[in-house]
Amino acid sequence: MQGFNVLHPMGWDAFGLPAEQYAIQTGTHPKVTTIKNIERFRSQLKSLGFSYDWEREISTTEPQYYKWTQWIFLQLFKRGLAYQAEVPVNWCPALGTVLANEEVVDGVSERGGHPVIRKPMRQWMLKITAYADRLLEDLDGLDWPESIKEMQRNWIGRSEGAELKFCVLNLDGRERDIQFTVYTTRPDTIFGATYLVVAPEHPLLMSLVSDSQRKYVEEYTEVASRKSDLERTELQKEKSGVFSGSYAKNPANGEAIPIWVADYVLGSYGTGAIMAVPAHDSRDHDFAMKYDISICWVVNPNDESDSNFEEPYSGEGILINSSNAELGLDINGMLSKHAASKVIDWAESTGQGRRKHILVLKFERYFCLGDIVSLPESELPVILPELDDFTPTGTGEPPLAKAVSWVKTRDPVSGKPAARETSTMPQWAGSCWYYLRFMDPKNTEALVDKTKEMYWGPVDVYIGGAEHSVLHLLYARFWHKVLYDIGVVSTKEPFQCLINQGLILGEVEYTACRDADGKLVSPGSADVLTEYCQERVPEEKVMKSGDSFVLKENPSIRLIARAHKMSKSRGNVINPDDVVLEYGADSLRLYEMFMGPLRDSKTWSTGGIEGVHRFLGRTWRLVVGQPLPDGSFRDGTVATDDEPTLDQLRALHKCIGKVTEEIEGTRFNTGISAMMEFLNAAYKWDKHPRSIIEAFVLLLSPYAPHMAEELWLRLGYSNSLAYENFPKANLEYMKDSTIVLPVQINGKTRGTIQIDKTCSEDDAFRLASVDVKISKYLVGQSIKKRIYVPGKILNVILDLKNVEVGSR
């Protein structure tokens, strides 16, 4: 409506665990369920009047789509970005699949709650680390929320430091032939390293564990294998570990320091071992305090006021307690930065280590494939077979392994017998590039036509949840950069502007607490929530009291009032069909926007729909007129051909300006408020000029398209208003021509009057004379003079010596 070609598409992404697990649980083929759900969702979306271009509809599960997902994988493989490696993975025996770290919570699968173990498996990996520098650097040019960009920066990471060697000691203190290489970003603190920590999955671990500690180490590593990397590295979790029974020599001072096993160190990060400096790292400090390990302070803050020597100091400063003449290293008195360089130089010259920088990308996506024989691109798509039995095999093989006749095939190049790969790429693969297919959805010769990609790309506005910040969004950026490098796309980034929409929570739930005797009590502390039984209270038994909610029948009992995320298990899901049936689609649309700014989380209240429903009813009656005696409405509208008055034009253009501004700022709620204000003003008019009404209907149309289209038709137009120009505000009409003028009597303010900016002194005095509050000070008084400063003040000076006859 503002003259732009807008591509607003919709599609379906159904591969993955949710569809697979539902199929297993219900015995319904996932294809049947997927098609049924797509039809259902499509029907609901269309009923709500969303302006999607349905001619561009796509589904990632259709061969004409996943042909190009397979094609992209072949390009990754050809460039060495897809490779095989044996790595520890999150294996879920019940689901028969490898899970990403984000899919494991408290040692069980997020979906289904099945136990998950860590075990090494041969995997295909995508080498996203090859693009880490570009993924970091190109964030700066994106119009994204800074919090999301920071999450991606932290997730990718870039760390510079050193690798240092620590020799393992035998029982009599002599060096063994085992060395640990540790990675550290703070080589300047090496004199403060009082213990080493190795990851439970470190390949050298069992070679150094003492006989007395072996049982405890094995038990600990078994428990650690059931945790995801995210759980293990969570900063807030209590640290745990076990002593290996062995010691290593600190290369800087020659001291023997204990070697511990702890799950907060990951085998996939750095070398899988760290030197722990508890005086200058909060995580190491917590661990040392818990297990009574010595602490040595080696960095003094530049600001002496920060010197504590009780709490860990992680900043830079001046080195202390950091000298050993025998081993040839002295960094006392040096600044941290210079000390770190000297330690690295010393390590390289003595063979004790080297300079190193690593990328701390938290994960690389993986999936199983077989022997490395890629199909020619002409063989794509590899069509998935129809399977009646899609349950897990129980052997770790994917369900596709049951399609024996499909698995057995021949290499199209050599003609030799071959077996198809039976594991598939994870569900996120299809969603990594779907935005490109929307640009050219029916192309059978290419992923996307270059001319169309250059016209539409990149995506101007992407609206999605913050939960996608380091999963979908990061991998879509990775794939896009690969496609850029091979000439498929013309831009370095896929999504120029990102807006995170807030979550809509379920209706507020009220909960009462009972003690052990069954007596109702008020929740006064966190202990109450854990020690007392809780029970739901119906809303009709609740009332507001100050800032709290209480029981109507016993106001002394406070209740817990909380809104939760909508879920079927809580029974607080709102079905849009029910709302549409009772209030209409426009009321649902309007209420979701009126609840608050798009970016904020909001709490649903079915009762709140009534307000916007009344607003739409008033809008209808304003344009169409009051209902006839039989309840029906007249044809056409009550709009007249009169020229609008200045006040009407001012009300309209003020509304246009506000609505336009708030739409562009995704503050739809305040845009609706502006239309409500206009409606209140319009109801006071005797006549409603057509030009004013038509502009208002166009303003309303993005919010309530169904009613707006009906009103547009009644106004005499046969074509959809979707192709009309959006009203533009005239700044001349938006200027406020009236001001509030203070009125003083003998220098004391007695009230205010509203006047036109060009009001004369005589007119201002006349308005003040008839004002209820001010006139009582003027009746019967003799006026000595008037002081009038246009637009600022009117001061009336009374002659108290010459009071007029009849005055009191």
Side-chain angles (χ1 to χ4, degrees), residues 349-649:
S349 64
T350 59
Q352 301 290 342
R354 61 173 182 154
R355 190 179 306 274
K356 180 78 172 178
H357 77 274
I358 65 172
L359 292 160
V360 198
L361 195 59
K362 298 290 194 305
F363 64 88
E364 295 190 353
R365 290 292 192 168
Y366 37 74
F367 43 91
C368 302
L369 290 175
D371 293 335
I372 308 177
V373 179
S374 61
L375 284 173
E377 294 177 10
S378 60
E379 295 292 312
L380 301 181
V382 176
I383 302 295
L384 297 173
E386 294 285 345
L387 277 179
D388 294 327
D389 182 7
F390 38 79
T391 57
T393 59
T395 63
E397 291 183 292
L400 279 179
K402 296 180 178 181
V404 178
S405 60
W406 179 82
V407 172
K408 291 182 179 180
T409 187
R410 288 186 176 276
D411 183 342
V413 177
S414 67
K416 294 179 180 180
R420 293 187 189 276
E421 174 53 50
T422 56
S423 291
T424 59
M425 287 188 282
Q427 66 269 21
W428 53 267
S431 63
C432 272
W433 69 279
Y434 69 97
Y435 57 94
L436 294 172
R437 195 60 177 174
F438 281 133
M439 301 175 188
D440 193 12
K442 296 178 174 60
N443 194 329
T444 59
E445 302 300 322
L447 184 151
V448 62
D449 177 79
K450 288 187 177 181
T451 303
K452 292 179 180 179
E453 184 276 328
M454 292 180 69
Y455 178 79
W456 287 115
V459 175
D460 295 283
V461 180
Y462 181 109
I463 301 178
E467 67 273 10
H468 296 305
S469 58
V470 292
L471 295 172
H472 161 62
L473 285 175
L474 185 59
Y475 268 80
R477 294 182 63 221
F478 167 43
W479 280 37
H480 189 89
K481 290 182 181 302
V482 175
L483 294 174
Y484 174 78
D485 288 348
I486 64 177
V488 174
V489 298
S490 59
T491 62
K492 294 181 179 180
E493 287 287 336
F495 315 121
Q496 187 57 38
C497 173
L498 172 67
I499 296 174
N500 292 143
Q501 86 279 10
L503 196 65
I504 295 185
L505 305 173
E507 297 209 46
V508 174
E509 298 175 7
Y510 303 97
T511 307
C513 298
R514 292 186 184 272
D515 61 18
D517 298 326
K519 181 182 177 182
L520 285 169
V521 293
S522 296
S525 68
D527 294 338
V528 172
L529 302 183
T530 55
E531 296 177 4
Y532 288 72
C533 296
Q534 299 182 37
E535 62 182 50
R536 290 277 294 272
V537 179
E539 186 176 5
E540 59 268 19
K541 294 185 178 182
V542 179
M543 69 178 188
K544 191 86 168 9
S545 177
D547 295 331
S548 303
F549 291 91
V550 298
L551 282 174
K552 283 183 180 179
E553 61 184 23
N554 186 355
S556 65
I557 300 299
R558 295 193 312 279
L559 303 174
I560 302 168
R562 182 183 173 189
H564 300 267
K565 183 178 179 179
M566 289 188 187
S567 67
K568 290 182 179 179
S569 59
R570 293 198 69 89
N572 63 347
V573 174
I574 301 298
N575 188 334
D577 297 343
D578 298 336
V579 180
V580 171
L581 184 64
E582 184 172 358
Y583 296 98
D586 284 349
S587 292
L588 174 58
R589 291 170 56 103
L590 214 60
Y591 177 61
E592 284 207 355
M593 289 183 275
F594 193 56
M595 290 169 69
L598 175 68
R599 294 170 170 85
D600 294 354
S601 291
K602 301 161 282 279
T603 301
W604 180 270
S605 173
T606 301
I609 303 177
E610 293 284 356
V612 294
H613 187 64
R614 286 194 298 270
F615 163 72
L616 289 175
R618 294 186 70 214
T619 299
W620 178 265
R621 292 188 295 274
L622 176 78
V623 180
V624 177
Q626 296 300 316
L628 300 173
D630 62 357
S632 64
F633 289 89
R634 54 169 286 178
D635 294 333
T637 69
V638 296
T640 68
D641 293 326
D642 296 274
E643 286 297 316
T645 66
L646 184 59
D647 284 343
Q648 289 173 332
L649 288 170

Side-chain angles (χ1 to χ4, degrees), residues 637-706:
T637 69
V638 296
T640 68
D641 293 326
D642 296 274
E643 286 297 316
T645 66
L646 184 59
D647 284 343
Q648 289 173 332
L649 288 170
R650 285 172 176 166
L652 172 66
H653 286 273
K654 181 180 178 182
C655 182
I656 294 173
K658 185 66 174 177
V659 170
T660 303
E661 178 184 354
E662 300 308 88
I663 287 179
E664 291 175 350
T666 66
R667 298 178 296 269
F668 308 119
N669 55 316
T670 43
I672 296 171
S673 296
M675 287 189 286
M676 290 179 171
E677 290 179 14
F678 171 85
L679 196 68
N680 289 336
Y683 260 89
K684 298 175 183 177
W685 302 340
D686 295 328
K687 296 181 179 179
H688 299 92
R690 174 178 293 274
S691 60
I692 299 291
I693 296 301
E694 288 182 356
F696 179 67
V697 170
L698 291 172
L699 279 184
L700 179 68
S701 63
Y703 292 86
H706 303 92

Side-chain angles (χ1 to χ4, degrees), residues 176-197:
R176 294 175 59 184
D177 58 354
I178 301 176
Q179 279 188 337
F180 271 105
T181 300
V182 307
Y183 174 77
T184 177
T185 59
R186 292 294 301 273
D188 57 310
T189 64
I190 188 170
F191 283 93
T194 57
Y195 65 101
L196 295 183
V197 181

Side-chain angles (χ1 to χ4, degrees), residues 34-48:
T34 298
I35 292 174
K36 180 181 178 181
N37 285 342
I38 286 176
E39 291 175 350
R40 181 76 177 126
F41 278 127
R42 186 192 299 114
S43 173
Q44 287 182 316
L45 291 175
K46 286 188 174 181
S47 76
L48 293 172

